[in-house]
Amino acid sequence: VVPSPAHLRRATTPRQISGYDHAHERAVWIGNAVLGLCCKVAAVVALDQTPRQAKRFFYQRGAYLWSSSTYQASCVRAQGWDKALFLIPWPGTNGITQAEASPETQAECLESIVGEVFLTSMAQHGIDRAMQDAWQVFHTVVLCGPWGEGGHRLRDDLGRPLTQWRDALAMLRSRLQAHRPGPDRVWAHRLALVDPPEPGLLAAAAMREWEGQSLEFLGDGVLRVLQTLHLVRTLPNVERGKQSQARMAVERNIFLARRLVRLIGADSNGLSLKLRGAQLEVLETMAPAGTADPVLSFKEDLCAEGEGRSILADVLEALVGAVALQDDDGLESAQRTFARYVLPPADVVGECFGA
């Protein structure tokens, strides 16, 4: 996928020239979330081990290297996209001069290009095809970029490069299934999900072993993409600072923990002792009155104090990851399945975070 001239022109026009451009800000913000998900999928495929065990590797050579502004800036320079920053002569300040652009500004160009490609493709073909197009840009520009061998290490079981998003998902599907019953398998089957994944992935989501931790890692990236898309739709003319504040609120452990408790209810049958204790702790913070109203419940959860039990937030993220991996239309399935649980209604978002 080669970004069109229109994508490049908008993505490489510095904000100091264009002024505050909501379309540009939207592309940067969405591109950041999409790149983050690509990095997470690539890291789990490449490492074949739990993210927690490979934390040191991630910081040095893996996902966090690929997502660093320094590395992404080098990718932009390798493609020659940084030269487009200076098509318009101007006495730049704040990160850009006529001589050079800062790494942060160059990395923002990559985010904007990925965001523009993603949004254009999504408008025409849907979210999963958009992720495929974004993955191809990521694979070509970032994984096979100037510093890394990541692109050469991402291969399927037959040794073929994973240049397609659906191939990476298929490989993860077979790898992350739980091959033995976990302590919460009964509970996992009790969930009334719109598009439940296959039993192996559903069981793995509630396990705190390698499969569950990897699904949680991926689900966090999927949630960020879905939440970012939701917030740019519900806050279309609000500056990115307000949108970022809203995204931080919906990513908090206490918010996700309370949303999972609303999903599974107060019944603790089938829960392990660890999850049961976390569920009871969260239930004690939730007011019994008015919680049946979905709008009121979202307001209560967004404004909840404290951090909540991270294990519940982790399990919800793992469930999102399991649904997203179930087939080639996984992002659409995850959006359809979890929208009513994790995406606050537009009026709640506007009231809490609007201008």
Side-chain angles (χ1 to χ4, degrees), residues 42-51 54-55 57-58 62-63 153-154 175:
V44 175
V45 169
L47 294 176
D48 197 13
Q49 57 183 307
T50 171
K55 189 174 182 180
F57 181 94
F58 280 163
R153 298 176 64 244
L154 292 184
R175 183 181 294 177

Side-chain angles (χ1 to χ4, degrees), residues 136-150:
Q136 288 188 299
V137 176
F138 169 76
H139 187 277
T140 301
V141 176
V142 178
L143 289 185
C144 299
W147 292 4
E149 299 177 352

Side-chain angles (χ1 to χ4, degrees), residues 88-298:
I88 305 174
W90 66 294
T93 58
N94 258 352
I96 293 184
T97 67
Q98 289 181 334
E100 64 178 24
S102 69
E104 292 75 18
T105 300
Q106 293 181 19
E108 187 177 281
C109 287
L110 177 59
E111 293 173 345
S112 183
I113 289 169
V114 171
E116 291 282 2
V117 170
F118 182 88
L119 287 169
T120 301
S121 181
M122 185 174 69
Q124 298 175 4
H125 307 292
I127 189 171
D128 287 284
R129 170 59 188 273
M131 199 66 217
Q132 164 64 30
D133 291 341
W135 174 265
Q136 288 188 299
V137 176
F138 169 76
H139 187 277
T140 301
V141 176
V142 178
L143 289 185
C144 299
W147 292 4
E149 299 177 352
H152 303 293
R153 298 176 64 244
L154 292 184
R155 296 182 178 274
D156 63 15
D157 295 333
L158 298 178
R160 297 171 299 194
L162 290 174
T163 58
Q164 302 294 314
W165 172 253
R166 62 178 177 271
D167 293 338
L169 294 187
M171 188 170 184
L172 288 175
R173 267 198 300 274
S174 61
R175 183 181 294 177
L176 297 182
Q177 291 185 33
H179 298 293
R180 61 188 183 281
D184 298 297
R185 189 162 187 169
V186 175
W187 163 76
H189 282 289
R190 188 163 56 85
L191 290 170
L193 300 178
V194 176
D195 292 312
E198 55 197 66
L201 287 175
L202 194 56
M207 298 172 63
R208 307 313 303 145
E209 299 178 21
W210 172 67
E211 298 92 345
Q213 292 176 30
S214 296
L215 285 173
E216 168 206 331
F217 187 65
L218 299 173
D220 175 75
V222 173
L223 264 182
R224 171 160 278 217
V225 171
L226 298 181
Q227 289 166 338
T228 301
L229 288 170
H230 179 68
L231 291 173
V232 297
R233 292 190 191 108
T234 54
L235 298 173
N237 298 314
V238 174
E239 63 184 16
R240 197 165 73 175
K242 285 276 190 179
Q243 292 177 338
S244 298
Q245 182 183 1
R247 188 165 71 177
M248 285 189 290
V250 297
E251 289 177 343
R252 293 170 61 214
N253 282 341
I254 185 62
F255 175 78
L256 295 177
R258 289 169 69 112
R259 299 316 297 175
L260 180 62
V261 168
R262 294 187 190 280
L263 173 60
I264 64 177
D267 184 5
S268 60
N269 290 333
L271 293 180
S272 65
L273 289 176
K274 194 170 185 180
L275 282 180
R276 189 180 305 169
Q279 177 202 31
L280 291 175
E281 184 177 307
V282 172
L283 280 171
E284 290 175 356
T285 71
M286 298 170 65
T291 53
D293 183 338
V295 175
L296 179 59
S297 71
F298 266 109

